Amino acid sequence: LGNSRFSTATEPSSKQRNPPRVPNLIGGSFVDSKSSEFIDVINPATQQVVSQLPLTSNEEFKAAVSAAKQAFPAWRNTPVTTRQRIMFKLQQLIRRDIDKLAMNITTEQGKTLKDAHGDVFRGLEVVEHACGMATLQMGEFVPNVSSGIDTYSIREPLGVCAGICPFNFPAMIPLWMFPIAVTCGNTFVLKPSEKDPGASLMLAELAMEAGLPDGVLNIVHGTHNIVNAICDDEDIRAVSFVGSNTAGMHIYSRASAKGKRVQSNMGAKNHAIVLPDASLDATLNALVAAGFGAAGQRCMALSTVVFVGDSKSWEDKLLERAKALKVNSGTEPDADLGPVISKQAKERICKLIQNGVESGARLVLDGRNIVVPGYEHGNFIGPTILSDVTADMECYKEEIFGPVLLCIQADSLDEAINIVNGNKYGNGASIFTSSGVAARKFQTEIEAGQVGINVPIPVPLPFFSFTGSKASFAGDLNFYGKAGVQFYTQIKTVTQQWKGLTSGSGVSLAMPT
Ligand code: NAD
């Protein structure tokens, strides 16, 4: 952002000598935190410090909530058409700055530039969806429920809402949250991931350039303390969370105990079932793309393949295609996958791979010792394939969240479906087959919220909702789509009588029927 009021990494961090401090956004101003505690935002390909993020004080957090609370009355009374127009403008500005946003994402998060564009683009689609808010928030009307009496319901904003984000989609996930929330008339406090806060700040700056009034969107940085403060705050009415199960279940119970609405999207173990009648080439391409894209750090990454019957022999071809992928810094044009987010993440992933080996899985492709020339300090793991995995292995039970594909064998579709349904997560599952009968059986019997048929990563577009289930979701109103609008609005039901009010027919104390 040429005229940015703050500095976010939009160029390789090697050029940045003194890492800038990441400001909070409170009441329309980007302000440096007075906190004395900071954590480094680190480029995962180089280990260079991109910026320093404050552990925001409670006082500063309260100031952000208070700014959101003060902005609410005027914002909720702003015509919906005006709110929509700000979203129209925002989507235009995001398109204008998509390259800068993508570069920031690659610098802080590590994914390839092309993938970073996708991150922004999938969020942009939610902004586009918010442009139609007037029809999305329509109420209902039944005339003459009794003589001369009508009842109607209207959707009203809740007040101050908050969002807590994970590291893996620095643009898309904030955009799942605040555009819908504010266009419904709420005001918002966003806590980006402490690992890659830059995109959230750039998006907020664009939202303000688009005309979002001061205080409607606020940003506070930090980790557990700020999250707990969000859960406990009396003025926050709803919390949107995306991230791991440990954090998500904690937030779900703590915030709901305070009477808040919570939508919590959490971890995953997404399976693909491959039947021998599937199209070989398209299936293998899909498995490789969904298994290793974004270094496996997508909530919809495909982490387990269940080969049914003769399709087991495709494993060798899968291996060839996985081997051909290029691991490099996300800024390099030939990169298929970049680094994982942190040294700790790399260690955890390597431990789970080792655990698989020790419990009897075959390591057919080992990406643990990869060295990327020019980026020797990066947190790289190459594509890794573990075969002959069984459901009791730790590497199968836990979400790996790295470029690791587990292969399991099954003799029949029934057995494969049982394997998938036995896993605690329910984000997504896919089947690859040319049989409509098998696909229909899979769709009916599979216990996952998002189902792909010859499609690897079924992340629904924003006119639907993101519908993870089982341990992958807590709450009852999903992100974006109709459910997203319902989450950020409450219903008021009005009964009105407009008839000859002066000609009373006496008093009756009985329940009206
Ligand atoms: P994370 O849970 O570590 O962090 C998410 C957010 O929660 C961060 O803002 C962090 O500061 C906060 N946090 C972390 N631990 C906390 C704690 N104990 N108490 C309070 N706050 C805490 O998740 P992550 O590593 O950033 O993201 C990866 C995870 O997110 C994976 O499990 C992935 O599957 C999941 N994810 C799910 C979806 C989905 O839609 N289901 C989408 C993207 C990512």
Side-chain angles (χ1 to χ4, degrees):
L1 302 176
N3 55 354
S4 199
R5 279 159 283 182
F6 52 85
S7 182
T8 53
T10 54
E11 57 184 31
S13 59
S14 55
K15 292 195 187 155
Q16 302 196 353
R17 286 246 173 72
N18 296 316
R21 292 198 160 175
V22 184
N24 288 320
L25 170 59
I26 300 176
S29 303
F30 289 98
V31 280
D32 280 334
S33 170
K34 296 195 173 59
S35 171
S36 54
E37 289 179 278
F38 285 80
I39 49 177
D40 290 342
V41 176
I42 294 170
N43 180 329
T46 62
Q47 305 305 323
Q48 274 160 331
V49 178
V50 178
S51 55
Q52 290 184 312
L53 175 136
L55 300 185
T56 302
S57 69
N58 200 43
E59 201 186 352
E60 291 164 330
F61 166 71
K62 288 281 178 206
V65 178
S66 163
K69 195 177 174 186
Q70 277 175 32
F72 180 60
W75 180 241
R76 69 167 292 170
N77 287 324
T78 302
V80 65
T81 42
T82 306
R83 300 199 301 253
Q84 282 184 156
R85 272 178 211 123
I86 294 172
M87 289 299 123
F88 272 114
K89 182 76 183 162
L90 176 60
Q91 67 81 29
Q92 183 193 348
L93 296 178
I94 292 173
R95 283 174 197 278
R96 183 193 72 190
D97 285 352
I98 194 162
D99 291 342
K100 291 173 188 162
L101 281 156
M103 180 54 92
N104 176 275
I105 291 170
T106 299
T107 307
E108 294 187 359
Q109 200 273 352
K111 63 178 73 176
T112 66
L113 273 173
K114 188 160 184 251
D115 206 29
H117 272 91
D119 187 331
V120 181
F121 191 80
R122 295 305 298 265
L124 175 69
E125 289 175 325
V126 181
V127 179
E128 290 171 346
H129 191 61
C131 295
M133 191 55 72
T135 43
L136 297 173
Q137 66 169 38
M138 278 179 177
E140 294 174 319
F141 191 101
V142 178
N144 226 33
V145 291
S146 181
S147 178
I149 296 181
D150 313 315
T151 298
Y152 55 97
S153 65
I154 47 184
R155 291 204 161 269
E156 295 193 329
L158 303 170
V160 182
C161 301
I164 301 162
C165 302
F167 78 82
N168 66 330
F169 282 99
M172 180 183 80
I173 288 175
L175 290 172
W176 280 4
M177 299 175 178
F178 80 80
I180 306 278
V182 304
T183 319
C184 284
N186 301 286
T187 55
F188 209 78
V189 177
L190 183 73
K191 195 212 81 73
S193 167
E194 64 276 15
K195 300 195 174 76
D196 43 26
S200 286
L201 285 169
M202 294 168 89
L203 290 167
E205 190 168 42
L206 295 182
M208 288 165 64
E209 186 183 342
L212 202 66
D214 292 352
V216 173
L217 173 61
N218 304 274
I219 297 183
V220 285
H221 302 286
T223 56
H224 301 23
N225 286 347
I226 230 59
V227 168
N228 288 338
I230 288 174
C231 295
D232 296 347
D233 194 279
E234 299 290 338
D235 288 320
I236 293 176
R237 299 284 317 281
V239 179
S240 298
F241 170 81
V242 180
S244 67
N245 282 63
T246 315
M249 287 316 295
H250 165 72
I251 290 163
Y252 181 74
S253 34
R254 187 156 175 161
S256 343
K258 291 280 179 180
K260 299 186 200 327
R261 287 184 180 193
V262 186
Q263 50 179 192
S264 177
N265 264 15
M266 297 174 289
K269 197 85 182 174
N270 304 308
H271 294 65
I273 294 180
V274 178
L275 298 190
D277 65 3
S279 153
L280 177 81
D281 208 43
T283 303
L284 290 174
N285 284 342
L287 298 181
V288 167
F292 303 116
Q297 299 175 115
R298 290 183 186 135
C299 52
M300 296 305 289
L302 217 158
S303 51
T304 308
V305 188
V306 186
F307 286 109
V308 177
D310 292 343
S311 70
K312 163 79 180 153
S313 61
W314 298 9
E315 227 179 79
D316 296 341
K317 297 188 182 77
L318 180 68
L319 174 66
E320 290 315 311
R321 289 185 199 209
K323 266 187 190 163
L325 296 175
K326 181 86 182 160
V327 182
N328 208 341
S329 162
T331 47
E332 300 294 336
D334 66 346
D336 291 311
L337 54 148
V340 297
I341 188 71
S342 63
K343 287 249 167 288
Q344 295 85 330
K346 181 172 173 172
E347 262 169 43
R348 200 184 53 80
I349 295 163
C350 290
K351 245 190 217 152
L352 283 165
I353 296 171
Q354 188 56 27
N355 165 276
V357 174
E358 282 162 16
S359 36
R362 259 186 325 120
L363 188 57
V364 292
L365 184 60
D366 185 359
R368 287 177 295 179
N369 300 316
I370 191 168
V371 175
V372 176
Y375 298 92
E376 287 79 5
H377 301 294
N379 318 316
F380 294 98
I381 306 182
T384 298
I385 300 179
L386 279 165
S387 186
D388 298 338
V389 170
T390 52
D392 55 335
M393 293 179 187
E394 210 53 35
C395 64
Y396 176 75
K397 289 192 273 188
E398 290 304 312
E399 179 183 39
I400 300 181
F401 223 55
V404 183
L405 200 49
L406 308 182
C407 298
I408 300 189
Q409 269 174 271
D411 291 332
S412 64
L413 177 57
D414 278 311
E415 189 190 339
I417 289 174
N418 277 340
I419 292 171
V420 180
N421 288 350
N423 194 278
K424 70 175 173 181
Y425 295 108
N427 227 24
S430 293
I431 189 166
F432 291 88
T433 179
S434 54
S435 157
V437 175
R440 192 165 185 281
K441 176 183 169 69
F442 173 81
Q443 177 221 288
T444 311
E445 295 180 13
I446 209 72
E447 292 166 6
Q450 298 170 111
V451 172
I453 296 172
N454 296 320
V455 170
I457 315 182
V459 177
L461 288 169
F463 22 91
F464 292 95
S465 298
F466 191 101
T467 50
S469 63
K470 291 167 70 183
S472 299
F473 179 69
D476 57 0
L477 291 169
N478 294 111
F479 278 84
Y480 62 79
K482 286 198 189 93
V485 175
Q486 286 166 10
F487 181 77
Y488 289 124
T489 52
Q490 57 196 344
I491 297 173
K492 185 180 269 175
T493 309
V494 182
T495 299
Q496 65 175 3
Q497 170 175 261
W498 293 109
K499 60 184 182 185
L501 294 175
T502 48
S503 60
S505 54
V507 179
S508 167
L509 272 60
M511 188 79 178
T513 56

